[in-house]
PDB file of all heavy atoms in Angstrom:
ATOM      1  N   LYS X1228      96.961 100.396 116.808  1.00 96.00           N
ATOM      2  CA  LYS X1228      98.023 100.214 117.794  1.00 96.00           C
ATOM      3  C   LYS X1228      98.743 101.525 117.977  1.00 96.00           C
ATOM      4  O   LYS X1228      99.240 102.114 117.015  1.00 96.00           O
ATOM      5  CB  LYS X1228      99.004  99.139 117.306  1.00 96.00           C
ATOM      6  CG  LYS X1228     100.210  98.968 118.198  1.00 96.00           C
ATOM      7  CD  LYS X1228      99.847  98.355 119.547  1.00 96.00           C
ATOM      8  CE  LYS X1228     101.040  98.327 120.491  1.00 96.00           C
ATOM      9  NZ  LYS X1228     100.657  97.768 121.800  1.00 96.00           N
ATOM     10  N   GLY X1268     100.703  87.728 118.570  1.00 94.00           N
ATOM     11  CA  GLY X1268     100.465  87.897 120.000  1.00 94.00           C
ATOM     12  C   GLY X1268     101.638  88.510 120.734  1.00 94.00           C
ATOM     13  O   GLY X1268     101.646  88.562 121.954  1.00 94.00           O
ATOM     14  N   ARG X1271      99.902  93.641 121.694  1.00 94.00           N
ATOM     15  CA  ARG X1271      98.446  93.682 121.827  1.00 94.00           C
ATOM     16  C   ARG X1271      97.918  94.931 121.145  1.00 94.00           C
ATOM     17  O   ARG X1271      98.482  96.008 121.337  1.00 94.00           O
ATOM     18  CB  ARG X1271      98.055  93.734 123.297  1.00 94.00           C
ATOM     19  CG  ARG X1271      98.554  92.572 124.105  1.00 94.00           C
ATOM     20  CD  ARG X1271      97.562  91.422 124.067  1.00 94.00           C
ATOM     21  NE  ARG X1271      98.052  90.315 124.854  1.00 94.00           N
ATOM     22  CZ  ARG X1271      98.360  89.126 124.349  1.00 94.00           C
ATOM     23  NH1 ARG X1271      98.224  88.888 123.064  1.00 94.00           N
ATOM     24  NH2 ARG X1271      98.783  88.149 125.123  1.00 94.00           N
ATOM     25  N   THR X1289      99.632  78.819 120.182  1.00 95.00           N
ATOM     26  CA  THR X1289      99.675  77.614 121.007  1.00 95.00           C
ATOM     27  C   THR X1289      99.344  76.362 120.204  1.00 95.00           C
ATOM     28  O   THR X1289      99.904  75.296 120.437  1.00 95.00           O
ATOM     29  CB  THR X1289      98.676  77.755 122.174  1.00 95.00           C
ATOM     30  OG1 THR X1289      98.952  78.988 122.821  1.00 95.00           O
ATOM     31  CG2 THR X1289      98.803  76.625 123.154  1.00 95.00           C
ATOM     32  N   GLY X1300     116.369  89.091 114.550  1.00 87.00           N
ATOM     33  CA  GLY X1300     116.488  87.914 115.400  1.00 87.00           C
ATOM     34  C   GLY X1300     117.732  87.169 115.034  1.00 87.00           C
ATOM     35  O   GLY X1300     118.066  87.057 113.870  1.00 87.00           O
ATOM     36  N   SER X1301     118.427  86.684 116.067  1.00 88.00           N
ATOM     37  CA  SER X1301     119.590  85.881 115.750  1.00 88.00           C
ATOM     38  C   SER X1301     119.421  84.517 116.392  1.00 88.00           C
ATOM     39  O   SER X1301     118.449  84.255 117.077  1.00 88.00           O
ATOM     40  CB  SER X1301     120.867  86.573 116.192  1.00 88.00           C
ATOM     41  OG  SER X1301     120.697  87.110 117.466  1.00 88.00           O
ATOM     42  N   GLU X1305     125.970  78.787 119.899  1.00 91.00           N
ATOM     43  CA  GLU X1305     126.643  77.504 120.142  1.00 91.00           C
ATOM     44  C   GLU X1305     125.971  76.321 119.472  1.00 91.00           C
ATOM     45  O   GLU X1305     126.502  75.214 119.508  1.00 91.00           O
ATOM     46  CB  GLU X1305     126.719  77.200 121.652  1.00 91.00           C
ATOM     47  CG  GLU X1305     127.553  78.183 122.456  1.00 91.00           C
ATOM     48  CD  GLU X1305     126.714  79.301 123.042  1.00 91.00           C
ATOM     49  OE1 GLU X1305     125.489  79.344 122.771  1.00 91.00           O
ATOM     50  OE2 GLU X1305     127.273  80.161 123.750  1.00 91.00           O
ATOM     51  N   GLU X1310     120.646  71.316 114.940  1.00 95.00           N
ATOM     52  CA  GLU X1310     120.136  71.309 116.319  1.00 95.00           C
ATOM     53  C   GLU X1310     119.074  72.382 116.521  1.00 95.00           C
ATOM     54  O   GLU X1310     118.025  72.115 117.128  1.00 95.00           O
ATOM     55  CB  GLU X1310     121.293  71.532 117.299  1.00 95.00           C
ATOM     56  CG  GLU X1310     122.173  70.309 117.468  1.00 95.00           C
ATOM     57  CD  GLU X1310     123.551  70.626 118.050  1.00 95.00           C
ATOM     58  OE1 GLU X1310     123.868  71.822 118.245  1.00 95.00           O
ATOM     59  OE2 GLU X1310     124.308  69.686 118.293  1.00 95.00           O
ATOM     60  N   PHE X1314     115.204  71.504 117.209  1.00 95.00           N
ATOM     61  CA  PHE X1314     114.633  71.946 118.476  1.00 95.00           C
ATOM     62  C   PHE X1314     113.296  72.647 118.248  1.00 95.00           C
ATOM     63  O   PHE X1314     112.276  72.284 118.855  1.00 95.00           O
ATOM     64  CB  PHE X1314     115.634  72.871 119.178  1.00 95.00           C
ATOM     65  CG  PHE X1314     115.045  73.670 120.297  1.00 95.00           C
ATOM     66  CD1 PHE X1314     114.267  73.060 121.273  1.00 95.00           C
ATOM     67  CD2 PHE X1314     115.270  75.032 120.384  1.00 95.00           C
ATOM     68  CE1 PHE X1314     113.716  73.798 122.300  1.00 95.00           C
ATOM     69  CE2 PHE X1314     114.729  75.777 121.411  1.00 95.00           C
ATOM     70  CZ  PHE X1314     113.947  75.160 122.369  1.00 95.00           C
TER      71      PHE X1314
ATOM     72  N   TYR Q1276     114.235  70.482 125.015  1.00 91.00           N
ATOM     73  CA  TYR Q1276     114.643  71.864 125.280  1.00 91.00           C
ATOM     74  C   TYR Q1276     115.757  71.877 126.318  1.00 91.00           C
ATOM     75  O   TYR Q1276     116.774  72.566 126.165  1.00 91.00           O
ATOM     76  CB  TYR Q1276     113.422  72.656 125.767  1.00 91.00           C
ATOM     77  CG  TYR Q1276     113.643  74.128 126.035  1.00 91.00           C
ATOM     78  CD1 TYR Q1276     114.707  74.817 125.480  1.00 91.00           C
ATOM     79  CD2 TYR Q1276     112.751  74.830 126.843  1.00 91.00           C
ATOM     80  CE1 TYR Q1276     114.889  76.171 125.727  1.00 91.00           C
ATOM     81  CE2 TYR Q1276     112.917  76.173 127.089  1.00 91.00           C
ATOM     82  CZ  TYR Q1276     113.991  76.842 126.537  1.00 91.00           C
ATOM     83  OH  TYR Q1276     114.157  78.178 126.787  1.00 91.00           O
ATOM     84  N   ARG Q1283     124.378  73.748 124.753  1.00 88.00           N
ATOM     85  CA  ARG Q1283     124.997  75.011 124.375  1.00 88.00           C
ATOM     86  C   ARG Q1283     125.911  75.534 125.461  1.00 88.00           C
ATOM     87  O   ARG Q1283     126.928  76.163 125.179  1.00 88.00           O
ATOM     88  CB  ARG Q1283     123.934  76.056 124.042  1.00 88.00           C
ATOM     89  CG  ARG Q1283     123.039  76.374 125.204  1.00 88.00           C
ATOM     90  CD  ARG Q1283     121.984  77.334 124.770  1.00 88.00           C
ATOM     91  NE  ARG Q1283     122.531  78.659 124.702  1.00 88.00           N
ATOM     92  CZ  ARG Q1283     121.899  79.723 125.174  1.00 88.00           C
ATOM     93  NH1 ARG Q1283     120.705  79.593 125.718  1.00 88.00           N
ATOM     94  NH2 ARG Q1283     122.431  80.892 125.090  1.00 88.00           N
ATOM     95  N   ARG Q1286     129.250  73.904 125.423  1.00 88.00           N
ATOM     96  CA  ARG Q1286     130.101  74.384 124.335  1.00 88.00           C
ATOM     97  C   ARG Q1286     130.586  75.811 124.559  1.00 88.00           C
ATOM     98  O   ARG Q1286     131.243  76.377 123.709  1.00 88.00           O
ATOM     99  CB  ARG Q1286     129.314  74.357 123.025  1.00 88.00           C
ATOM    100  CG  ARG Q1286     129.103  72.946 122.529  1.00 88.00           C
ATOM    101  CD  ARG Q1286     128.429  72.966 121.193  1.00 88.00           C
ATOM    102  NE  ARG Q1286     128.000  71.628 120.841  1.00 88.00           N
ATOM    103  CZ  ARG Q1286     127.028  71.377 119.985  1.00 88.00           C
ATOM    104  NH1 ARG Q1286     126.402  72.367 119.394  1.00 88.00           N
ATOM    105  NH2 ARG Q1286     126.691  70.148 119.718  1.00 88.00           N
ATOM    106  N   ASN Q1287     130.191  76.381 125.684  1.00 83.00           N
ATOM    107  CA  ASN Q1287     130.517  77.781 125.939  1.00 83.00           C
ATOM    108  C   ASN Q1287     131.824  77.865 126.732  1.00 83.00           C
ATOM    109  O   ASN Q1287     131.918  77.362 127.841  1.00 83.00           O
ATOM    110  CB  ASN Q1287     129.348  78.385 126.728  1.00 83.00           C
ATOM    111  CG  ASN Q1287     129.520  79.852 126.970  1.00 83.00           C
ATOM    112  OD1 ASN Q1287     130.553  80.281 127.460  1.00 83.00           O
ATOM    113  ND2 ASN Q1287     128.512  80.623 126.635  1.00 83.00           N
ATOM    114  N   SER Q1352     118.736  89.192 121.651  1.00 91.00           N
ATOM    115  CA  SER Q1352     118.994  88.771 120.272  1.00 91.00           C
ATOM    116  C   SER Q1352     117.714  88.378 119.544  1.00 91.00           C
ATOM    117  O   SER Q1352     117.738  88.132 118.350  1.00 91.00           O
ATOM    118  CB  SER Q1352     119.927  87.579 120.274  1.00 91.00           C
ATOM    119  OG  SER Q1352     119.236  86.422 120.698  1.00 91.00           O
ATOM    120  N   PRO Q1362     104.576  76.903 120.016  1.00 95.00           N
ATOM    121  CA  PRO Q1362     103.613  76.447 121.028  1.00 95.00           C
ATOM    122  C   PRO Q1362     104.200  76.267 122.435  1.00 95.00           C
ATOM    123  O   PRO Q1362     103.457  75.989 123.368  1.00 95.00           O
ATOM    124  CB  PRO Q1362     103.150  75.092 120.476  1.00 95.00           C
ATOM    125  CG  PRO Q1362     103.427  75.137 119.015  1.00 95.00           C
ATOM    126  CD  PRO Q1362     104.658  75.965 118.874  1.00 95.00           C
ATOM    127  N   ARG Q1516     103.441  91.210 127.033  1.00 75.00           N
ATOM    128  CA  ARG Q1516     103.064  91.580 125.675  1.00 75.00           C
ATOM    129  C   ARG Q1516     102.351  92.917 125.701  1.00 75.00           C
ATOM    130  O   ARG Q1516     101.221  93.002 126.133  1.00 75.00           O
ATOM    131  CB  ARG Q1516     102.167  90.481 125.076  1.00 75.00           C
ATOM    132  CG  ARG Q1516     102.962  89.266 124.669  1.00 75.00           C
ATOM    133  CD  ARG Q1516     102.426  88.005 125.279  1.00 75.00           C
ATOM    134  NE  ARG Q1516     103.448  86.969 125.319  1.00 75.00           N
ATOM    135  CZ  ARG Q1516     103.475  85.926 124.508  1.00 75.00           C
ATOM    136  NH1 ARG Q1516     102.555  85.764 123.593  1.00 75.00           N
ATOM    137  NH2 ARG Q1516     104.415  85.040 124.608  1.00 75.00           N
ATOM    138  N   ALA Q1517     103.058  93.932 125.280  1.00 72.00           N
ATOM    139  CA  ALA Q1517     102.526  95.291 125.421  1.00 72.00           C
ATOM    140  C   ALA Q1517     101.491  95.617 124.352  1.00 72.00           C
ATOM    141  O   ALA Q1517     101.631  95.184 123.230  1.00 72.00           O
ATOM    142  CB  ALA Q1517     103.654  96.301 125.336  1.00 72.00           C
TER     143      ALA Q1517
END
Side-chain angles (χ1 to χ4, degrees):
Chain X
K1228 175 69 186 178
R1271 301 272 180 244
T1289 308
S1301 44
E1305 296 93 357
E1310 285 161 355
F1314 165 49
Chain Q
Y1276 183 20
R1283 62 183 282 224
R1286 288 185 191 157
N1287 184 308
S1352 74
R1516 284 126 202 255

